[in-house]
Amino acid sequence: MKQPGFFDVEERLARLSGLGDQLEAFSRTVDFEVFRPDLELALAYSDGSKGGRPPFDPVLMFKILVIQTLNNLSDERTEYLINNRLSFMRFLGLGLSDRVPDAKTVWLFRERLTQAGAIERLFDRFDATLRNAGYLPMSGQILDATLVAAPKQRNTNAEKADLRAGRIPEDWQDKPAKMSHKDRHARWTLKFTKAKRQDDGTIPSSDLAIPFFGYKSHVSIDRKFRFIRKWKTTDAAASDGARLREGLLDKTNTASSVWADTAYRSKANEDFMDKEGFVSKVHRKKPHLKPMPRHIQKSNAGKSVIRSRVEHVFADQKSQTGLFIRTVGITRATMRIGLANIVYNMRRFLFLERLNASA
């Protein structure tokens, strides 16, 4: 069998480009060097004077996290596919003979960023890039939250009670190996879905309540460009509405209107928005044991046309990148969701730039 040569590889890469390599589009559109200062600050590598193998370039490693997030890959699968796929190698600037970071190196890099709390700075850095490109937050903002699944825990009732009270179960305290695999921050909640029409044409009188374990991703997107501008991670049982007053509103938006569903309708939120200069477009709730007034129905329907745009963000994250929490603890879950939000904004940026280029 003929050994592949330089021109064979170039021809294969050219064919990949012709087929539409998304990572190549990322390289053309996103300047990953803007992340370097924040990455180097978070990693705080030594100057190498003590010897040892030099670390991989931090921008290269961050691009590996982007690949991971785009394709919902484990560390081991990431290592394999970087070695296997020419498109991954080209995106990372690696040749066939170059050293590829192994799964442990990828884990350690992500862990250092996680412990340094760097994900918020990295998100803000790319948001600044979007603003510099002319994508300012405009036309108001839309708030919503979605559940993000995590591996289910098998705990006793007593252990669950301790966790809800913020205590570490006694049986775990002298077993560090066991405790490292126990997620003490994820919570159970009920996920309500609309009851589906039965075979006989009838619809059940009550919706379905499905137990769910994991975390919750809260976001605020701008109405104009649909970029995520503010975000927060909590356990799955946390209230949606209370997050509105915890830095989820973007004061830099050029318009003051705020759209959200009925979970965000409360006197505390309405007072807060009024005080901060926001105009509430939050859905109104149905009166208790009374039919919904006609004028409120029409008002909510008009608001839904705009509010529903945020659902496309979550649909993209879950269908395109398979958003799921593989790790343990809310600090790592925040890192995972933060990366998903950055990658979503990158994909949205690519889409809008391509749209502008063709106009």
Side-chain angles (χ1 to χ4, degrees):
M1 182 179 293
K2 187 180 83 170
Q3 286 291 101
F6 173 78
F7 292 107
D8 297 309
V9 174
E10 287 297 303
E11 182 181 350
R12 182 63 62 84
L13 288 172
R15 290 181 64 186
L16 287 173
S17 298
L19 293 170
D21 181 4
Q22 183 186 40
L23 291 177
E24 188 180 28
F26 266 60
S27 296
R28 285 196 308 265
T29 311
V30 178
D31 179 13
F32 283 91
E33 282 297 318
V34 301
F35 296 105
R36 185 178 294 278
D38 297 298
L39 292 170
E40 291 180 343
L41 179 65
L43 296 167
Y45 286 140
S46 67
D47 59 7
S49 59
K50 296 183 180 179
R53 176 180 286 184
F56 285 96
D57 180 72
V59 175
L60 178 147
M61 294 300 299
F62 181 69
K63 290 168 80 173
I64 289 178
L65 298 187
V66 170
I67 287 176
Q68 248 189 341
T69 306
L70 274 170
N71 298 278
N72 191 26
L73 302 174
S74 66
D75 295 336
E76 291 74 17
R77 188 65 178 168
T78 300
E79 178 188 356
Y80 171 78
L81 288 178
I82 292 173
N83 281 282
N84 184 62
R85 290 190 181 177
L86 287 175
S87 60
F88 284 14
M89 292 183 195
R90 175 167 63 181
F91 177 62
L92 298 173
L94 296 174
L96 292 174
S97 60
D98 290 330
R99 186 165 61 101
V100 173
D102 59 22
K104 184 65 173 179
T105 302
V106 175
W107 184 90
L108 287 171
F109 175 80
R110 187 177 58 251
E111 189 68 7
R112 290 187 73 162
L113 292 183
T114 301
Q115 298 308 319
I119 191 61
E120 288 85 1
R121 293 197 300 273
L122 293 169
F123 180 89
D124 291 342
R125 178 70 65 177
F126 189 64
D127 186 62
T129 298
L130 296 175
R131 292 167 187 260
N132 291 336
Y135 297 102
L136 300 175
M138 294 181 178
S139 305
Q141 56 196 298
I142 309 169
L143 274 61
D144 205 355
T146 189
L147 295 168
V148 183
K152 297 180 179 64
Q153 303 284 291
R154 305 294 184 223
N155 300 324
T156 65
N157 290 334
E159 289 170 341
K160 291 177 183 177
D162 284 338
L163 292 174
R164 282 194 294 269
R167 300 187 298 268
I168 299 176
E170 187 176 347
D171 292 344
W172 298 3
Q173 295 178 12
D174 57 350
K175 299 176 182 176
K178 179 177 181 178
M179 197 162 73
S180 67
H181 290 86
K182 289 292 188 178
D183 196 328
R184 292 176 285 139
H185 303 115
R187 292 288 183 270
W188 284 97
T189 189
L190 290 176
K191 181 179 180 180
F192 293 93
T193 60
K194 292 291 183 182
K196 296 182 180 180
R197 189 178 298 275
Q198 302 297 304
D199 293 338
D200 60 2
T202 60
I203 299 178
S205 58
S206 59
D207 293 336
L208 302 177
I210 303 171
F212 185 95
F213 184 80
Y215 292 91
K216 190 175 285 186
S217 170
H218 308 260
V219 303
S220 171
I221 70 168
D222 68 272
R223 179 188 172 192
K224 173 72 172 179
F225 300 113
R226 304 186 198 180
F227 286 115
I228 297 172
R229 300 294 182 170
K230 297 288 183 180
W231 61 280
K232 189 177 184 67
T233 301
T234 65
D235 64 77
S239 164
D240 293 359
R243 309 288 83 77
L244 180 144
R245 306 188 300 277
E246 296 178 358
L248 204 58
L249 290 175
D250 182 10
K251 295 183 179 180
T252 67
N253 198 292
T254 59
S256 56
S257 298
V258 177
W259 286 266
D261 62 28
T262 55
Y264 296 85
R265 169 68 69 170
S266 68
K267 186 177 186 307
N269 283 349
E270 295 298 306
D271 291 344
F272 178 83
M273 285 188 283
D274 184 61
K275 180 181 177 182
E276 296 294 325
F278 294 102
V279 177
S280 174
K281 302 287 186 180
V282 179
H283 280 46
R284 292 188 176 275
K285 299 178 181 179
K286 175 182 173 298
H288 184 58
L289 299 178
K290 294 181 181 179
M292 178 75 85
R294 182 71 175 172
H295 70 282
I296 294 181
Q297 275 186 333
K298 292 181 67 175
S299 175
N300 281 351
K303 294 172 182 175
S304 292
V305 174
I306 296 172
R307 194 208 66 80
S308 62
R309 295 175 186 177
V310 72
E311 303 294 346
H312 297 285
V313 177
F314 299 137
D316 182 275
Q317 289 184 320
K318 292 185 177 181
S319 64
Q320 297 297 320
T321 62
L323 182 57
F324 179 81
I325 304 298
R326 301 175 184 274
T327 53
V328 172
I330 194 165
T331 304
R332 294 186 179 117
T334 300
M335 180 70 182
R336 174 71 177 94
I337 290 173
L339 278 170
N341 291 341
I342 292 174
V343 168
Y344 165 79
N345 279 355
M346 287 181 176
R347 295 182 73 247
R348 183 71 183 166
F349 182 45
L350 259 65
F351 172 77
L352 293 175
E353 288 290 279
R354 189 163 56 244
L355 210 63
N356 292 335
S358 61

